[in-house]
């Protein structure tokens, strides 16, 4: 039998979106509970008795829905547990966090047994227990990366008894369609993964693509997603994009052969650890001259994903076409005007011109300075902004 003070539960319930809210709701409403409330007991502390079976099983509660952060931020993955008897040795409790990378495929993140802890892979040096009182199995992920996005499992074990809960980690960011210089529909799944990484991004999930469609993304070319499916978002149905009389939505080709079939890619990127800017020059340059110009300015040529992040999050608006690292020509428009590519905001794409003879400006990227220990990024930017309410139109040319 568990005993919880009612006034304690009330405090937990009064904290919106906290893990305590989840625990209290589960304990009071999810299980059978009785409380003493007679007039004779006024002035005494009321106690809620929550009845369990006699197995002594560990019970884990995690936050419903998802937790949201951005690249470079810190986030708590909430998880709490309770068990009988309450006097169980905490040094015999094992806490294990894993990431669900695919159906029945798990990647180890963190394990703790008493005072002993172990971290795995890219999570080394970035994950720690929150330690917010007894029964807290929450972990904090620092310096969140794009690859941290996804679903996590919290498992708590006490001798032979165990229970699990799940938390979804979401990132603020932007989805963008991408195809390389060689042309459209040239990428198998693994090549799509690679080109997104080359552009400071990862393959987008269906949830991320669907959210982008809700915000106005309209793209008439099918692309790979991280789960191996091929989809494309249509906000304005038309005959050349699956018939005009069909409903708007995210069109789905289903799961395709990752080696043999070829499509474009939908990439996802998040907050920048630096600044994208248009390099002001007296004359336009070819590609090699653009690379040298950014280097002389203490920067590098910006990647496509960095330009999209600057447009979406930093609200970069520049009506001047410029070279990017992949030798494409693009420019970001937050406030549409007639001479800047149409009525919708978005990142305009002018293709992949001749590297030697075509002349344009250039977009550079400069990383934020790091602190002395190299672990903490010192921001040189103002408060983060977001254009999440702006419908996204990424280019003025779409063909299937």
């Amino acid at each position: 039998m568990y005993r919880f003070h009612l006034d304690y539960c009330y405090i937990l319930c009064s904290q919106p979106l906290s893990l305590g809210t989840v625990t209290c709701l589960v304990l009071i409403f999810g299980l059978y509970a009785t409380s003493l409330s007679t007039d004779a007991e006024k002035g005494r502390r009321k106690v809620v008795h929550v009845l369990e079976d006699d197995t002594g099983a560990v019970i884990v509660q995690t936050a419903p829905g998802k937790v949201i952060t951005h690249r470079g931020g810190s986030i708590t993955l909430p998880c709490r547990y309770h068990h009988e008897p309450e006097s169980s040795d905490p040094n015999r409790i094992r806490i294990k966090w894993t990431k669900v990378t695919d159906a029945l495929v798990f990647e180890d993140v963190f394990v703790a047994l008493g005072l002993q802890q172990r971290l795995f892979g890219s999570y080394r040096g970035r994950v720690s227990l929150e330690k917010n009182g007894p029964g807290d199995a929450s972990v904090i992920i620092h310096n969140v990366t794009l690859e941290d996005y996804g679903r996590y499992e919290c498992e708590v074990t006490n001798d032979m008894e165990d229970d699990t809960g799940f938390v979804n980690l979401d990132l603020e960011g932007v989805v963008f369609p991408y195809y390389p210089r060689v042309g459209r529909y040239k990428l198998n799944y693994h090549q799509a993964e690679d080109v997104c990484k080359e552009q400071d991004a990862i393959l987008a999930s269906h949830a991320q693509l669907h959210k982008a469609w809700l915000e106005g993304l309209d793209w008439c070319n099918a692309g790979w997603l991280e789960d191996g499916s091929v989809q494309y978002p249509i906000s304005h149905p038309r005959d050349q994009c699956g018939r005009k009389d069909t409903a708007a939505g995210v069109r789905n080709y289903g799961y395709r052969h990752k080696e043999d079939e070829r499509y474009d890619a939908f990439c996802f990127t998040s907050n920048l650890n630096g600044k994208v800017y248009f390099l002001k020059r007296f004359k336009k340059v070819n590609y090699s001259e653009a690379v040298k110009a950014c280097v002389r300015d203490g920067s590098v040529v910006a990647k496509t994903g960095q330009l999209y992040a600057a447009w979406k999050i930093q609200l970069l608006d520049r009506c001047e076409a410029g070279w990017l690292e992949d030798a494409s020509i693009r420019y970001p428009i937050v406030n549409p005007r007639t001479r800047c590519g149409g009525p919708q905001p978005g990142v305009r794409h002018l293709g992949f011109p001749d590297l030697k003879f075509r002349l344009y400006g250039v977009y550079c990227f400069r990383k934020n300075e790091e602190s002395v220990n190299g672990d903490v990024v010192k921001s040189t930017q103002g408060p983060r902004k977001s254009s999440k309410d702006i419908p996204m139109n990424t280019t003025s040319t779409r063909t299937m």
Side-chain angles (χ1 to χ4, degrees):
M1 177 182 294
Y2 300 101
R3 290 177 177 268
F4 292 90
H5 295 301
L6 184 61
D7 54 350
Y8 176 64
C9 284
Y10 176 79
I11 292 172
L12 288 176
C13 288
S14 68
Q15 299 174 0
L17 299 182
S18 70
L19 186 59
T21 303
V22 179
T23 305
C24 189
L25 289 175
V26 171
L27 294 178
I28 293 178
F29 299 108
L31 304 172
Y32 174 77
T34 62
S35 63
L36 304 176
S37 59
T38 64
D39 294 338
E41 294 169 332
K42 287 183 179 179
R44 297 175 53 187
R45 176 172 290 179
K46 297 180 181 179
V47 177
V48 176
H49 300 282
V50 182
L51 305 181
E52 292 287 349
D53 57 28
D54 297 326
T55 64
V58 176
I59 299 177
V60 171
Q61 290 108 23
T62 51
K66 59 189 176 183
V67 293
I68 304 175
T69 185
H70 57 82
R71 178 167 55 178
S74 295
I75 189 69
T76 297
L77 303 186
C79 178
R80 297 193 70 86
Y81 66 92
H82 60 276
H83 59 86
E84 284 287 345
E86 294 181 0
S87 59
S88 293
D89 184 358
N91 291 324
R92 300 177 64 178
I93 299 292
R94 189 188 75 156
I95 299 170
K96 182 178 182 180
W97 282 88
T98 54
K99 184 180 181 185
V100 185
T101 57
D102 205 343
L104 302 179
V105 178
F106 297 84
E107 174 188 356
D108 289 338
V109 175
F110 175 89
V111 175
L113 179 60
L115 298 177
Q116 299 179 356
Q117 300 181 5
R118 183 180 178 185
L119 290 92
F120 299 86
S122 64
Y123 296 95
R124 289 191 178 97
R126 296 194 300 119
V127 176
S128 60
L129 281 174
E130 187 176 45
K131 298 181 180 178
N132 188 20
D136 186 18
S138 307
V139 293
I140 304 173
I141 302 180
H142 304 275
N143 192 22
V144 171
T145 69
L146 293 176
E147 290 74 18
D148 292 341
Y149 169 86
R151 184 173 175 84
Y152 290 81
E153 179 189 70
C154 173
E155 178 185 47
V156 179
T157 304
N158 180 23
D159 294 328
M160 298 300 293
E161 302 293 343
D162 68 279
D163 194 20
T164 60
F166 292 89
V167 180
N168 293 312
L169 172 57
D170 198 4
L171 296 178
E172 299 172 344
V174 57
V175 172
F176 62 95
Y178 189 81
Y179 63 91
R181 189 178 187 86
V182 293
R184 288 175 167 165
Y185 288 5
K186 300 293 185 182
L187 305 171
N188 65 24
Y189 175 82
H190 306 291
Q191 292 168 333
E193 279 189 311
D194 291 340
V195 298
C196 286
K197 289 179 180 178
E198 290 169 1
Q199 300 309 316
D200 192 42
I202 57 174
L203 276 176
S205 67
H206 169 75
Q208 290 168 336
L209 183 64
H210 185 264
K211 180 181 178 183
W213 169 72
L214 291 175
E215 294 175 355
L217 179 59
D218 185 286
W219 189 254
C220 195
N221 288 87
W224 291 103
L225 297 182
E226 56 88 22
D227 63 356
S229 66
V230 173
Q231 306 182 32
Y232 65 101
I234 295 296
S235 298
H236 307 288
R238 45 209 185 271
D239 288 336
Q240 62 268 38
C241 299
R243 294 173 52 188
K244 186 176 181 179
D245 57 353
T246 57
V250 178
R251 311 287 168 78
N252 194 340
Y253 287 0
Y255 298 102
R256 315 306 298 180
H257 196 287
K258 291 184 177 181
E259 301 287 348
D260 296 341
E261 299 192 43
R262 281 163 169 68
Y263 299 93
D264 294 344
F266 285 101
C267 306
F268 173 85
T269 192
S270 184
N271 199 49
L272 293 170
N273 63 337
K275 180 181 180 181
V276 173
Y277 62 97
F278 185 82
L279 183 60
K280 296 180 180 179
R281 293 180 56 83
F282 294 110
K283 64 175 183 177
K284 296 180 179 181
V285 293
N286 63 25
Y287 181 74
S288 63
E289 292 169 338
V291 173
K292 295 175 183 177
C294 286
V295 171
R296 284 195 299 268
D297 202 50
S299 306
V300 295
V301 180
K303 299 176 181 292
T304 300
Q306 292 168 339
L307 184 65
Y308 270 95
W311 166 76
K312 180 73 171 181
I313 299 170
Q314 300 175 356
L315 301 184
L316 179 62
D317 184 291
R318 188 83 184 194
C319 190
E320 294 187 71
W323 292 103
L324 294 182
E325 188 267 347
D326 64 349
S328 65
I329 301 296
R330 306 176 195 256
Y331 61 99
I333 297 297
V334 174
N335 301 306
R337 47 262 198 210
T338 304
R339 65 183 187 88
C340 297
Q344 298 295 331
V347 176
R348 313 288 193 245
H349 183 196
L350 303 185
F352 297 87
D354 183 90
L355 298 176
K356 185 176 181 180
F357 297 108
R358 297 301 298 272
L359 307 179
Y360 297 93
V362 59
Y363 286 92
C364 304
F365 174 74
R366 180 181 294 124
K367 291 186 66 175
N368 291 334
E369 296 179 5
E370 293 184 347
S371 64
V372 176
N373 62 20
D375 294 329
V376 180
V377 175
K378 182 178 71 176
S379 176
T380 59
Q381 307 167 33
R384 281 190 312 115
K385 305 174 183 177
S386 175
S387 60
K388 63 183 179 181
D389 297 325
I390 301 177
M392 188 168 76
N393 182 343
T394 59
T395 185
S396 57
T397 304
R398 305 179 189 87
T399 57
M400 190 65 177

